Amino acid sequence: MRIDVLADSDTRWKWGALLAGQLCPEGGAEVHAHLLRGRATPTGRQLAEVGVVPASLRETTVADFLAEAGAGAGTEAAAGAGAETGPGEADVVVLALVGGGVQALLHGLARAWHGRPRRPVLVTGYVGVVYEKVADGLLLRAGADVVLANSAFDARRFRDLYGPLGIDTGSVVRAALPFLAGDVDRYRPSENRPFTVCFAAQPSVPEPRDARLHLLERCARHAELHPERRVLVKLRSRPGEHTTHLEEHPYQRLVARLGRPLPVNCELVYGNMGDILDRTDLLVTVSSTAALESLRRGIPTAVLRDAGVRESLGNHYFTGSGCIASWDQLDAGHLPAADPEWLRDQGVDDPAPYEGLRKRVAELRGLPALPPPTPYYTPGNAPAYLPGILARYGLASDGTPLPTAASTAGGAAGPRRAVRRVLAQGARGAYRMGVQHVAPAIRRWGQL
């Protein structure tokens, strides 16, 4: 089975690539990677960290991807892309994008595949489990053949939204985050290494510098209070790399503001989260999905409430899990115990989360023809909303690429918009965005 994954960041590539593997659990999946060019395009190290080696890999734009999708096998466009066939010849196309990106691709692919009796099955979903805008995100994804829900709880509320609006609720398929599927080694304490505490950091949660400095300080303090333990601060990216969310205050820089060196038993680490969990006895985070990986293994997991339990932090999702705790409790030796019923309802302990997806994809592939993608939003029912979304991705209201569409995830306007925004905001705007985010935009601008 050929599966093409279009992703716009490191975490979404991880989600899409691992999802492709779940579609063919016995092997046989030929995964082709398309990385949407933009601020968060993953580096080679970030790609390798996922552990999936694609059959082909290239950076692309929305316009180029649509051109390849609309081209037939062996055409000049497909050959120019460096592959024998383009995404239009795939069995499944995974749209591992934000909601606006999914909406743009649904419109663009509907036009590219107009009149074709056969087309790939379109699959999309959410990388995480905390949704800033449930209704907005779901409606932007409506029109895909499969919209994945990461738990039974999510599947219920997704269908409750789609049904009254006349959207096919059959497109909602219960699954789980791909890294929660399959057999895992259950946690067992080890006598061959120190008790290890891992703090799973996030790029933008919390966002203020003082709040992030507080968390780093508490990691150092825990190491000082427990010299027999080892404390790991697991970072998402190295300096100069980019992630899905902007990181204004990297922990690497905040170390200098502690006023003292990190204790010898406290260190900053990188790498695959699964490898880190292999040596973790207590996972601590604010709201990272690493908590779900940890809970899946049975590792004691603490979701911090030091900055409150708030939607903006995402830790409200863990209410009822039994995992919410403070650093003071952890310093005193508390090891949270997760609630089994909560774990089941949230898909953490689902024994077969991908059977429904495999069945749905097999049914769709078995049809003599698939109807064209039908996004919920149209120029007729959302004339004040849809054109702006499509324009950000370099598309006109009818799904055709704009003449200037090139170079970035949002079309040619992407880097120009980033630079204009910084110039308009002055020195404070430049500081907040960070040179590491502005410089790539300027370089891409020069390539247009």
Side-chain angles (χ1 to χ4, degrees), residues 187 189-190 193-197 279-283 299-300 335:
Y187 167 70
S190 173
R193 57 170 171 76
F195 186 96
T196 300
V197 179
R279 51 194 172 112
T280 295
D281 299 283
L282 171 62
L283 189 283
I299 299 172
L335 295 177

Side-chain angles (χ1 to χ4, degrees), residues 401-427:
L402 295 168
T404 56
S407 283
T408 69
R416 291 190 176 96
R417 187 183 299 112
V419 174
R420 284 201 304 268
R421 186 164 62 248
V422 173
L423 294 176
Q425 293 177 350

Side-chain angles (χ1 to χ4, degrees), residues 287-419:
S287 60
S288 171
T289 52
L292 300 178
E293 293 186 68
S294 176
L295 290 167
R296 172 82 167 133
R297 294 172 178 238
I299 299 172
T301 302
V303 175
L304 292 172
R305 62 180 171 205
D306 284 42
V309 179
R310 297 182 283 153
E311 286 85 354
S312 60
L313 296 177
N315 54 359
H316 69 291
Y317 167 80
F318 294 91
T319 302
S321 69
C323 297
I324 294 178
S326 67
W327 265 118
D328 282 351
Q329 290 176 294
L330 302 180
D331 288 344
H334 175 57
L335 295 177
D339 179 79
E341 184 176 345
W342 186 91
L343 293 177
R344 284 192 297 271
D345 200 36
Q346 299 301 328
V348 178
D349 280 346
D350 192 329
Y354 280 91
E355 288 186 0
L357 171 62
R358 295 173 195 135
K359 180 180 179 182
R360 169 77 172 173
V361 169
E363 290 174 349
L364 293 171
R365 291 184 62 203
L367 295 175
L370 281 174
T374 53
Y376 175 72
Y377 289 121
T378 68
N381 68 16
Y385 184 46
L386 179 64
I389 293 173
L390 298 183
R392 284 199 295 274
Y393 288 85
L395 300 182
S397 295
D398 63 353
T400 58
L402 295 168
T404 56
S407 283
T408 69
R416 291 190 176 96
R417 187 183 299 112
V419 174

Side-chain angles (χ1 to χ4, degrees), residues 33-358:
H34 306 263
L35 305 178
L36 207 54
R37 190 176 301 139
R39 178 196 65 79
T41 305
T43 65
R45 185 198 71 81
Q46 289 172 311
L47 293 171
E49 193 174 279
V50 175
V52 176
V53 180
S56 68
L57 185 152
R58 63 187 297 268
E59 288 190 20
T60 188
T61 65
V62 168
D64 287 345
F65 185 84
L66 293 175
E68 295 161 24
T75 64
E76 182 179 348
E84 293 183 0
T85 59
E89 305 306 316
D91 298 293
V92 177
V93 171
V94 177
L95 300 178
L97 307 168
V98 295
V102 175
Q103 181 73 187
L105 265 296
L106 290 175
H107 281 272
L109 291 172
R111 183 183 182 280
W113 293 337
H114 179 71
R116 285 185 51 167
R118 301 287 300 173
R119 65 168 176 83
V121 176
L122 290 173
V123 177
T124 191
Y126 290 91
V127 173
V129 292
V130 179
Y131 315 121
E132 295 178 10
K133 302 171 183 177
V134 177
D136 193 18
L138 278 175
L139 294 180
L140 289 173
R141 289 169 171 83
D145 301 304
V146 176
V147 179
L148 289 178
N150 292 323
S151 68
F153 174 82
D154 284 346
R156 291 193 298 269
R157 61 172 173 166
F158 287 9
R159 294 181 184 121
D160 286 346
L161 178 73
Y162 276 1
L165 294 175
I167 300 170
D168 177 19
T169 58
S171 64
V172 177
V173 177
R174 177 183 63 81
L177 290 169
F179 49 74
L180 298 180
D183 296 330
V184 295
D185 293 331
R186 297 292 292 179
Y187 167 70
R188 287 194 297 268
S190 173
E191 297 179 356
N192 300 322
R193 57 170 171 76
F195 186 96
T196 300
V197 179
C198 174
F199 171 66
Q202 297 165 262
S204 59
V205 178
E207 185 177 9
R209 185 184 65 185
D210 288 348
R212 297 173 74 79
L213 187 60
H214 165 83
L215 293 175
L216 184 61
E217 167 65 35
R218 294 308 299 256
C219 288
R221 180 178 171 186
H222 188 84
E224 292 166 344
L225 291 172
H226 297 276
E228 77 286 358
R229 292 185 172 187
R230 188 180 184 194
V231 178
L232 308 177
V233 180
K234 167 63 172 70
L235 304 178
R236 280 277 309 280
S237 60
R238 295 181 183 274
E241 293 180 337
H242 306 287
T243 56
T244 302
H245 301 286
L246 291 172
E247 185 170 19
E248 293 187 18
H249 306 291
Y251 285 99
Q252 297 97 321
R253 296 180 185 175
L254 293 178
V255 169
R257 292 183 172 272
L258 281 178
R260 67 189 189 284
L262 287 175
V264 294
N265 59 329
C266 181
E267 62 177 313
L268 308 181
V269 298
Y270 305 89
N272 181 277
M273 193 69 231
D275 295 338
I276 301 296
L277 290 175
D278 287 341
R279 51 194 172 112
T280 295
D281 299 283
L282 171 62
L283 189 283
V284 183
T285 187
V286 175
S287 60
S288 171
T289 52
L292 300 178
E293 293 186 68
S294 176
L295 290 167
R296 172 82 167 133
R297 294 172 178 238
I299 299 172
T301 302
V303 175
L304 292 172
R305 62 180 171 205
D306 284 42
V309 179
R310 297 182 283 153
E311 286 85 354
S312 60
L313 296 177
N315 54 359
H316 69 291
Y317 167 80
F318 294 91
T319 302
S321 69
C323 297
I324 294 178
S326 67
W327 265 118
D328 282 351
Q329 290 176 294
L330 302 180
D331 288 344
H334 175 57
L335 295 177
D339 179 79
E341 184 176 345
W342 186 91
L343 293 177
R344 284 192 297 271
D345 200 36
Q346 299 301 328
V348 178
D349 280 346
D350 192 329
Y354 280 91
E355 288 186 0
L357 171 62
R358 295 173 195 135

Side-chain angles (χ1 to χ4, degrees), residues 1-21:
M1 180 188 297
R2 171 170 172 156
I3 304 173
D4 282 37
V5 178
L6 177 62
D8 58 9
S9 70
D10 60 327
T11 53
R12 295 192 183 95
W13 160 248
K14 177 180 179 180
W15 178 82
L18 296 180
L19 175 65

